[in-house]
Amino acid sequence: MQARKKYVLLGLCASCWLLLFYWGGGVQLRLLRLLSRQRAEVVRPWPNWTDRAFLPRYAHLDELQTDPGTAESPRQRRQAWSAIYKDSRCRMETCFDFSRCRRRGREGFRVYIYPSEKNDRVSESYRKILTSIGESRYFTSDPREACLFVLGIDTLDRDQLSGQFVPNVDERIRGYPLWNDGRNHLIFNLYSGTWPNYTEDLGFNIGQAILAKASLNTEHFRPGFDVSIPLFSKDHPQKGGERGWLVRNTVPPRRKYLLMFKGKRYLTGIGSDTRNALHHIHNGKDIVSLTTCRHGKDWEKHKDARCDHDNLEYERFDYQELLHNSTFCLVPRGRRLGSFRFLESLQAACIPVLLSNGWELPFSDVVQWNQAVIEGDERLLLQVPSTVRAIGNERVLALRQRTQMLWEAYFSSVDKIVLTTLEIIKDRVFSHISRNKYMWNSLPGGLLVLPEYSTHLAHFPFYYLGLGVNPGQEFTAVIHAVSPLVSQSQPIMKLLQVVSKSKYCSQIIILWNSEKPPPSRSKWPPMPVPLTVTDGRRKTTSRFLPHVAIETEAVLSLDEDTVLLTSEVNFAFLVWRSFPERIVGYPPRSHFWDPLKRAWGYTSKWTNDYSIVLTGAAFYHRYYHYLFTHYLPQSLRTLVDRTSNCEDILMNFLVSAVTHLPPIKVAQRKQYKELPSPQGTKTVPWANPEHFNQRQECINTFANWFGYMPLVHSQVRLDPVLFKDQVSVLRKKYKDLERA
C-alpha cells in the first residue's frame, strides 16, 4: 500500500513538472520574442507625434543603406564587416599597450610618423594631417619613444575608383617591424568603400589599430577605442581657420529662412532615397530644400521627370546667401553617412538638422551634440518642419552659440581636428588626469585645458564665472632682473618697497637673469613679505616658467625698472579680480595691418585703442605660465630666447587666443620721467634700433603659427571712482594717482 502511494505521488510530480515546462517555457519564449521584437524596433529619439499613424510609410533603415539592385541582408553585412575587421571587439584595455606610454618612468605621450617611401602619393589633406602631428608637442622622431604610431601611407581615400587610392597597403604595413597587428597605431580615413555600396571596407586589415574615421556607423564604431572625425575638404585650412559667423548675439535669433538645404540629388544607389525625398518639404518661402541632378558625367542617362524643374529651381538661390540667412540647415546623408554640409553649417551658426541614421557624430566621446544639433530620422522627414518650428527662441540662440564654440574649438582647421583626436586618445591612456565633459564642452575648449596642470575646474581662470567662484585675494610679484646689483639706489630697490607695501602682496620672487651671480640676502632690503631669488637660467622665457614657488592664483609680472605706486598696484589687482581670465596692466601697445607690406605692424604710439598690455607691469593668472611653457611650440620660445625680445607679445597672443578678448588697461600716472640707467648697467632695450624691428618680425611669426591674428583691439581704460574729480581728497581711495 505504501509503495502504491509512493508511485502515485511520483507520477503527479512528473505530470506537474511537464505542465510547468510546457506552459512556462512557452510563455518565456513568447516573452523573449516580444522583447527582442520591441528592441529591434527601437529607433533614435524623436518627438512622439500623435499623427504618426497617419503618416505614409517610409523606407526601413536597412533599405536606406542599400541599393535595391544589390540588396544585402543585415546578416550578410555583419558577416562582411567581421571579415574586414576581425578585431571589432577591440577596446583600449585589450588592444592597446599602455606600457609603451610609460617607459623608463616617463608618462610621455609621443607620436611617431613612419617616413614616406619614394614615389608615395600623398594627398593634400593627408599632408596637412601629417604636418599637424609633426608640429605638435607630441611628435617624436625616435620610434623607441613613441606611444602611438601613424602611417606615412595615405589612407584617407579608400575608394578604389579614386585617383588618390593607394594599392597594396596590406603588404606594406605587414612588413613594418613595429606594426604588431596594428597595436598602438592610429589610422586616418575620410572615404571608405566604393560604388555602388560604399561599404566600410578600407581594402586592408587594420588589425588592432585605432581608427580615426569620417562617416563612422554606430554599428561598427568601437566605443572608447575608435575616434569619429568630421569629413573635411582638401581646402580646409591647415591652421587657425575662419571665425564663426555669429559675431554678436543677434536678437531675434531667427533668420529669414527657417530651414534650408542645397545640394546633389542621387538618382540611383545608396543615399538616393533620402535625397530624393527632400523636395517634399520645400515651400519656397521659409523652407528652401533644393537638389540638382546635374552632377557626374552620365547624369542625363538617369534623369527623371523632376530633374529639369529641380535644376531650374536650384539655380534661383545662392548657397552662401542661404547659409547666412537660415536658422536651421538640413544635413542629410550623402553616399556615405557624413557630409561637408556638417562643418559648413557649424561655421555659419546654422543649426544642423541631421538626417543620417546610424552616424556616429564626430568626437562623440567628448562632445555633447544635443546642445548644438537636432538629430532627425530619415524615415520621418515630414516631421522635420513642425519639429524645428516648435523650438523656442532661447533654445535657438543657445544652439547657435554652441555651434560657434565647437567650430572654433575643434573644427575650424585640420590642426584642431588632428589635435582633438590625439587629445582624446591621450585622455584614454592617462585616464587619471583626463578632462571631464564640462572642460570639453565649454570655452575655451579641451585643447586649451591641460589636465596635467589640474583636473579641478576651479583652478582655471575661465571657469570662475560659470562656477560662481571668486579668485584669491593675494598675488605673487615676479620681478624680472637682468642688471647686476651695484647700488642701493637702483629702481628695483624702490620697486621692492612699493610692491611689498601692498596689503594684497603675498610674496615676491626675483627672477635673476643676469650674467653675474645674485647677491646675498643681506644685500636686499628688509620687507614685510617673503622674498625669494631664483635662477632665471639666462633665458627670456624663464619669466613665464610655471615656478613651483608661485602659490597664488594672481601673478604680478614686473620689469626691474618699472615705476609704480602702491595704490596703482592695489587698484590694478582689484580690477584683475573682476577679469581673472585676462591680462590687466599698464603700458599698452597695438598692432595693425600694413596693406603695402601685406604684413602685420607693431606700434608703441599712444592711440585711442590698444591690443597688447606689456607684461613689464601686468596681472594675469598663473595658469598662463603653464600654458606658455607646455602648449606653445619650442620654436617660438627659442625665438624669444635668441632675440631676448617679444616674450610679452607672445603672452598676449596666447591669452587672447584663449579668451578671444582684449587685455585691460588700467589708470597710470603719466607725469613721471624715465629714469637714467645706473652706472654699470645695460641700456634699456628699446634704445636699440633693432629692438623695434625684431618686434615687427615677431608679431608676424606668431600670427603665422597661430594661423590667424588672435589679438583684439579695445578702447577700454578702467580708472578708479572719483579719479581726478573735483571732490575732497579725503574722500578718494586712490588719491595718490593724481599727484605729480
Side-chain angles (χ1 to χ4, degrees):
M1 189 68 180
Q2 294 293 335
R4 184 177 178 183
K5 288 182 178 180
K6 187 184 296 184
Y7 288 128
V8 170
L9 184 61
L10 285 173
L12 288 173
C13 289
S15 300
C16 291
W17 183 81
L18 287 172
L19 287 171
L20 285 172
F21 177 80
Y22 177 77
W23 290 106
V27 170
Q28 290 175 5
L29 288 173
R30 285 194 293 273
L31 283 172
L32 285 173
R33 290 193 189 102
L34 180 61
L35 288 172
S36 62
R37 188 180 303 117
Q38 290 176 346
R39 193 177 293 116
E41 291 173 356
V42 170
V43 297
R44 283 191 160 193
W46 188 249
N48 261 329
W49 299 99
T50 55
D51 59 347
R52 180 175 294 184
F54 301 99
L55 290 173
R57 179 188 176 276
Y58 292 97
H60 190 268
L61 179 60
D62 293 335
E63 300 172 31
L64 291 169
Q65 307 279 344
T66 310
D67 182 14
T70 58
E72 290 180 312
S73 68
R75 177 180 295 179
Q76 288 174 322
R77 286 198 303 278
R78 284 193 295 270
Q79 290 174 347
W81 173 258
S82 62
I84 296 167
Y85 298 115
K86 298 178 181 178
D87 297 284
S88 58
R89 297 183 182 274
C90 266
R91 299 296 182 267
M92 294 295 288
E93 297 76 16
T94 58
C95 295
F96 194 89
D97 183 3
F98 290 88
S99 65
R100 289 201 66 96
C101 308
R102 301 186 177 98
R103 287 185 174 183
R104 303 173 188 172
R106 297 191 312 267
E107 288 197 344
F109 186 76
R110 296 289 179 266
V111 185
Y112 174 77
I113 301 174
Y114 285 92
S116 298
E117 298 180 13
K118 190 177 180 181
N119 300 323
D120 267 355
R121 292 176 294 175
V122 179
S123 64
E124 182 64 24
S125 295
Y126 198 61
R127 187 176 289 108
K128 289 177 180 178
I129 289 175
L130 297 182
T131 299
S132 296
I133 298 173
E135 294 180 353
S136 75
R137 62 186 180 276
Y138 299 128
F139 174 72
T140 178
S141 57
D142 186 352
R144 294 171 298 181
E145 296 180 351
C147 165
L148 197 64
F149 298 85
V150 175
L151 300 178
I153 305 170
D154 188 346
T155 57
L156 288 188
D157 195 340
R158 301 307 297 165
D159 185 341
Q160 296 183 19
L161 299 179
S162 171
Q164 303 289 343
F165 180 80
V166 179
N168 305 321
V169 174
D170 244 334
E171 293 80 356
R172 293 177 62 181
I173 60 178
R174 280 201 300 265
Y176 291 160
L178 299 171
W179 173 246
N180 191 23
D181 194 32
R183 211 169 180 84
N184 288 55
H185 282 66
L186 174 63
I187 293 174
F188 288 91
N189 175 255
L190 294 181
Y191 307 99
S192 64
T194 190
W195 186 89
N197 292 326
Y198 296 94
T199 64
E200 304 271 350
D201 187 5
L202 299 185
F204 66 96
N205 182 15
I206 67 169
Q208 299 179 16
I210 298 172
L211 187 61
K213 186 180 185 308
S215 304
L216 258 174
N217 193 306
T218 53
E219 184 181 348
H220 307 141
F221 176 69
R222 296 174 289 183
F225 191 73
D226 291 332
V227 180
S228 177
I229 63 174
L231 181 65
F232 59 89
S233 70
K234 63 180 180 180
D235 299 321
H236 208 54
Q238 174 77 60
K239 286 179 174 290
E242 295 182 12
R243 294 287 299 272
W245 296 359
L246 186 64
V247 181
R248 296 287 183 269
N249 294 338
T250 53
V251 178
R254 294 183 182 272
R255 295 171 170 173
K256 177 180 178 181
Y257 301 107
L258 173 71
L259 181 68
M260 67 79 66
F261 173 76
K262 185 177 181 182
K264 298 176 182 177
R265 176 159 73 90
Y266 305 117
L267 297 170
T268 60
I270 190 168
S272 59
D273 290 345
T274 303
R275 295 287 180 100
N276 281 332
L278 295 179
H279 75 281
H280 289 295
I281 61 173
H282 173 73
N283 63 19
K285 298 176 182 178
D286 65 337
I287 298 179
V288 178
S289 182
L290 308 168
T291 57
T292 179
C293 308
R294 193 181 288 113
H295 60 88
K297 296 179 181 179
D298 55 351
W299 69 272
E300 292 186 277
K301 296 180 182 178
H302 304 284
K303 66 182 295 187
D304 56 21
R306 279 196 5 243
C307 277
D308 291 335
H309 175 268
D310 286 355
N311 291 342
L312 288 174
E313 191 75 0
Y314 185 87
E315 299 298 331
R316 286 184 53 219
F317 293 85
D318 179 73
Y319 179 62
Q320 292 297 320
E321 192 268 339
L322 288 173
L323 268 182
H324 276 278
N325 294 284
S326 297
T327 307
F328 296 91
C329 284
L330 272 178
V331 183
R333 62 163 294 141
R335 293 299 194 187
R336 301 172 180 88
L337 294 174
S339 168
F340 292 127
R341 298 291 185 272
F342 183 66
L343 291 189
E344 292 169 353
S345 301
L346 284 182
Q347 181 185 6
C350 185
I351 303 165
V353 179
L354 308 182
L355 295 177
S356 187
N357 292 15
W359 183 23
E360 187 70 29
L361 295 183
F363 307 138
S364 54
D365 286 18
V366 297
V367 175
Q368 294 174 322
W369 283 112
N370 62 336
Q371 299 177 359
V373 305
I374 305 297
E375 291 193 62
D377 191 309
E378 294 177 73
R379 297 162 294 182
L380 301 173
L381 173 65
L382 298 184
Q383 292 187 4
V384 170
S386 57
T387 300
V388 296
R389 287 187 198 280
I391 299 176
N393 284 346
E394 290 185 2
R395 176 67 175 156
V396 167
L397 183 56
L399 288 166
R400 292 183 63 196
Q401 289 173 333
R402 185 48 58 93
T403 63
Q404 303 302 274
M405 178 263 156
L406 295 175
W407 164 258
E408 293 183 10
Y410 308 120
F411 299 105
S412 63
S413 67
V414 175
D415 208 43
K416 290 177 181 176
I417 293 171
V418 171
L419 289 177
T420 304
T421 303
L422 295 181
E423 294 290 351
I424 288 173
I425 298 172
K426 178 171 171 282
D427 275 4
R428 296 171 183 171
V429 174
F430 304 111
S431 57
H432 60 292
I433 51 167
S434 61
R435 304 162 184 83
N436 58 40
K437 283 289 183 69
Y438 187 89
M439 293 174 174
W440 282 107
N441 291 276
S442 59
L443 291 171
L447 298 185
L448 291 165
V449 178
L450 304 188
E452 295 85 355
Y453 172 78
S454 177
T455 56
H456 197 301
L457 293 175
H459 292 166
F460 296 90
F462 28 75
Y463 296 139
Y464 286 162
L465 183 61
L467 297 175
V469 174
N470 293 318
Q473 298 184 11
E474 294 181 325
F475 67 83
T476 298
V478 178
I479 302 175
H480 190 231
V482 295
S483 304
L485 191 63
V486 296
S487 170
Q488 292 296 315
S489 62
Q490 286 179 223
I492 191 172
M493 291 301 186
K494 185 176 181 180
L495 183 62
L496 286 171
Q497 296 293 340
V498 167
V499 174
S500 63
K501 288 180 182 177
S502 171
K503 61 181 179 180
Y504 305 113
C505 183
S506 170
Q507 58 178 331
I508 298 176
I509 298 173
I510 296 179
L511 192 62
W512 192 258
N513 210 347
S514 174
E515 295 178 357
K516 294 185 178 181
S520 62
R521 181 63 182 86
S522 61
K523 298 290 184 181
W524 300 102
M527 285 177 293
V529 296
L531 174 67
T532 304
V533 181
T534 185
D535 182 16
R537 304 177 190 175
R538 299 191 181 91
K539 290 184 178 180
T540 306
T541 53
S542 62
R543 73 186 301 166
F544 297 135
L545 286 174
H547 301 286
V548 178
I550 300 176
E551 298 176 352
T552 60
E553 296 166 323
V555 177
L556 172 59
S557 176
L558 296 165
D559 285 339
E560 61 181 5
D561 55 354
T562 301
V563 179
L564 289 173
L565 297 175
T566 303
S567 56
E568 289 178 308
V569 173
N570 290 341
F571 176 66
F573 177 65
L574 293 179
V575 172
W576 175 85
R577 293 192 74 234
S578 297
F579 304 94
E581 76 282 10
R582 304 205 217 177
I583 296 176
V584 175
Y586 302 97
R589 298 291 185 267
S590 189
H591 76 287
F592 63 93
W593 176 254
D594 189 335
L596 296 178
K597 296 181 179 178
R598 298 190 60 80
W600 293 105
Y602 171 85
T603 179
S604 58
K605 294 180 180 179
W606 289 83
T607 59
N608 289 331
D609 61 10
Y610 62 91
S611 57
I612 297 170
V613 165
L614 302 184
T615 54
F619 283 95
Y620 52 80
H621 195 279
R622 68 176 176 180
Y623 174 62
Y624 293 122
H625 275 252
Y626 195 89
L627 207 59
F628 187 96
T629 303
H630 295 286
Y631 175 78
L632 294 176
Q634 182 63 46
S635 59
L636 296 187
R637 299 198 302 274
T638 301
L639 170 65
V640 169
D641 287 330
R642 187 178 68 250
T643 59
S644 297
N645 198 352
C646 304
E647 78 283 359
D648 47 359
I649 298 177
L650 184 55
M651 178 59 89
N652 275 267
F653 265 73
L654 177 62
V655 176
S656 291
V658 171
T659 62
H660 298 300
L661 295 169
I664 293 178
K665 173 174 170 49
V666 291
Q668 181 186 22
R669 296 174 307 153
K670 297 181 183 178
Q671 289 85 355
Y672 72 84
K673 298 180 180 179
E674 296 287 351
L675 298 176
S677 300
Q679 187 178 1
T681 63
K682 295 182 179 179
T683 59
V684 290
W686 47 88
N688 185 349
E690 282 299 314
H691 177 82
F692 186 80
N693 293 333
Q694 287 174 349
R695 293 172 82 79
Q696 291 269 77
E697 295 174 3
C698 284
I699 205 168
N700 285 282
T701 301
F702 300 160
N704 183 62
W705 184 83
F706 279 90
Y708 70 108
M709 172 52 73
L711 297 178
V712 182
H713 282 101
S714 175
Q715 295 181 348
V716 173
R717 189 186 82 167
L718 295 186
D719 293 347
V721 176
L722 305 180
F723 175 60
K724 290 191 176 181
D725 286 350
Q726 299 301 318
V727 297
S728 171
V729 174
L730 298 176
R731 294 175 58 189
K732 298 184 179 183
K733 185 176 182 181
Y734 300 101
K735 48 184 174 290
D736 292 336
L737 288 184
E738 56 183 294
R739 290 181 182 175

